[in-house]
Amino acid sequence: MLSGDDGLTALRRLRDVGDDLLVVMLTARADGIDRIIGVEQGADDYLAKPFLPRELSARIEAVLRRRSKIPAGTPLADGGRISFGDNVLDLSARTLWRDNTPR
């Protein structure tokens, strides 16, 4: 639950301006219709809480494979680190850093 706009509105704004940023929605809304709407609005995947951290990691890797055409089971490039905004997700260490601070 975001303050201000909800995630679907934020996603719609991104897509309306042509931004193809990869989006995995993490939400408390688990109803089937909510998942359908999320994907229809342009989410690459949709994961309802609660979820296992390993499932989130697997879904992120799957979305990245689809984007970069990396075969399933192939380790990600750059030592398994993914950067987005001020964040760095280290898949091998299973850590998330924001502004050089572990989260």
Side-chain angles (χ1 to χ4, degrees):
M1 302 298 170
L2 299 172
S3 60
D5 287 339
D6 64 21
L8 289 173
T9 301
L11 177 60
R12 194 172 317 111
R13 285 185 180 154
L14 283 171
R15 298 306 187 231
D16 285 349
V17 296
D19 195 322
D20 68 344
L21 176 74
L22 295 172
V23 175
V24 176
M25 296 190 78
L26 306 176
T27 178
R29 302 180 83 170
D31 187 49
I33 193 71
D34 292 321
R35 291 192 304 269
I36 292 167
I37 291 170
V39 173
E40 285 178 345
Q41 291 295 321
D44 296 285
D45 203 344
Y46 191 103
L47 188 56
K49 299 173 191 173
F51 55 85
L52 298 172
R54 187 165 178 186
E55 180 181 9
L56 173 59
S57 176
R59 287 175 180 262
I60 290 171
E61 287 182 28
V63 167
L64 291 171
R65 274 195 312 271
R66 288 193 300 267
R67 173 60 64 92
S68 60
K69 308 294 188 236
I70 298 172
T74 302
L76 294 174
D78 300 327
R81 291 186 177 185
I82 303 166
S83 297
F84 50 101
D86 295 332
N87 303 290
V88 176
L89 178 61
D90 186 332
L91 296 174
S92 60
R94 296 186 175 159
T95 57
L96 176 67
W97 294 73
R98 183 171 187 177
D99 297 322
N100 296 319
T101 304
R103 298 293 170 167

